[in-house]
Amino acid sequence: MLGEIRKKYPRNIKKYCEPFVGGGAVLLDILGNFTLDEVMVNDINSDLINTYNQVKNNVEELVLILSEMQRAFCESNTEERKKIYLNKRARYNALKVKNSENCCMEKAALFIFLNKTCFNGLYRVNRNGLFNVPMGSYKNPSICDADNLHKISKLLHNVKINCGNYTECLDFIDEETFVYIDPPYRPLSVTSSFTSYNENDFNDEEQIALVKFIDEITSKKAKVIASNSDPKNTNEDDDFFDNLYSSYTINRVTAKRMINSKGNSRGCINELLICNY
């Protein structure tokens, strides 16, 4: 989606906010191409935000830990890799339960390790908030991309990184701010909702509440782009988002889904880009 989103960037961006930062593709693109005065990113996933903070503030130590993880994993056979993966996943979940600030670096390293070695790079947790994705099948996964981590660390230098509900960005946003909103997508079907980003579902009521947030920051004259799934991919009569965002510009753009439980379902479908300008 990045190419389509990029076409809609305001001409000059000085202040940027991303209330659901996730993987940060748009964030990093903007940081690399604009000179910004203020940037704030947020996400409800505390382990993700911890990882961003460790990349920002302690990248050298992180690279050392990840490089050793990569060496041990890539030098092992398939059975040994399974044992390593399951041990790392169990340790990560134990740290999630413990929630100790003394383990922030280890947790960040495990977060990246699991992202690079799990099935499809998927982040999914069960109702107890425990990571439950099985190991993927990769010949030589890039667990430690040191050059990339160093570049991202520099880009994040002046970025305010917050963990919490997206509404905590409200006070930061003003008429000078460009806001990209990438919430958990509305599932296209019951079976497509197999991914849970955290232990709390982002259901239709949450989607409706999000529109009220967008209305509020629109009233502040912020420029906003929001993305979501297009229900019409599976049901032409589903006007949920068309009705919800009737006062905004709705663009249907073609995007390739990179994550799906079935390989043949990772094809091109329409997604929504919603703009208030």
Side-chain angles (χ1 to χ4, degrees), residues 120-174:
N120 261 2
L122 176 67
Y123 189 90
R124 181 187 66 190
V125 297
N126 61 25
R127 289 292 176 184
N128 295 318
L130 301 180
F131 185 80
N132 64 356
V133 183
M135 189 179 81
S137 179
Y138 310 101
K139 188 174 182 180
N140 290 299
S142 180
I143 296 166
C144 182
D145 188 342
D147 182 55
N148 190 48
L149 288 168
H150 281 108
K151 287 178 180 177
I152 293 172
S153 182
K154 289 180 180 178
L155 288 175
L156 293 175
H157 181 67
N158 292 316
V159 175
K160 181 180 179 181
I161 302 172
N162 185 67
C163 181
N165 186 277
Y166 63 89
T167 56
E168 294 182 22
C169 297
L170 189 60
D171 289 342
F172 176 83
I173 297 168
D174 58 23

Side-chain angles (χ1 to χ4, degrees), residues 84-152:
I84 292 172
Y85 180 85
L86 291 175
N87 285 336
K88 299 286 189 194
R89 190 178 70 176
R91 175 60 177 167
Y92 173 72
N93 283 329
L95 293 178
K96 280 175 67 68
V97 172
K98 188 178 180 182
N99 197 28
S100 171
E101 293 186 4
N102 296 326
C103 304
C104 289
M105 173 57 69
E106 182 184 4
K107 197 191 298 187
L110 289 168
F111 185 96
I112 294 174
F113 171 86
L114 292 170
N115 176 259
K116 297 298 184 181
T117 56
C118 74
F119 174 73
N120 261 2
L122 176 67
Y123 189 90
R124 181 187 66 190
V125 297
N126 61 25
R127 289 292 176 184
N128 295 318
L130 301 180
F131 185 80
N132 64 356
V133 183
M135 189 179 81
S137 179
Y138 310 101
K139 188 174 182 180
N140 290 299
S142 180
I143 296 166
C144 182
D145 188 342
D147 182 55
N148 190 48
L149 288 168
H150 281 108
K151 287 178 180 177
I152 293 172

Side-chain angles (χ1 to χ4, degrees), residues 17-46:
C17 183
E18 197 165 333
F20 302 84
V21 68
V26 175
L27 166 69
L28 296 173
D29 189 58
I30 286 175
L31 288 174
N33 290 286
F34 293 87
T35 301
L36 299 154
D37 295 328
E38 293 182 87
V39 183
M40 178 181 180
V41 298
N42 175 83
D43 204 279
I44 201 167
N45 186 328
S46 60

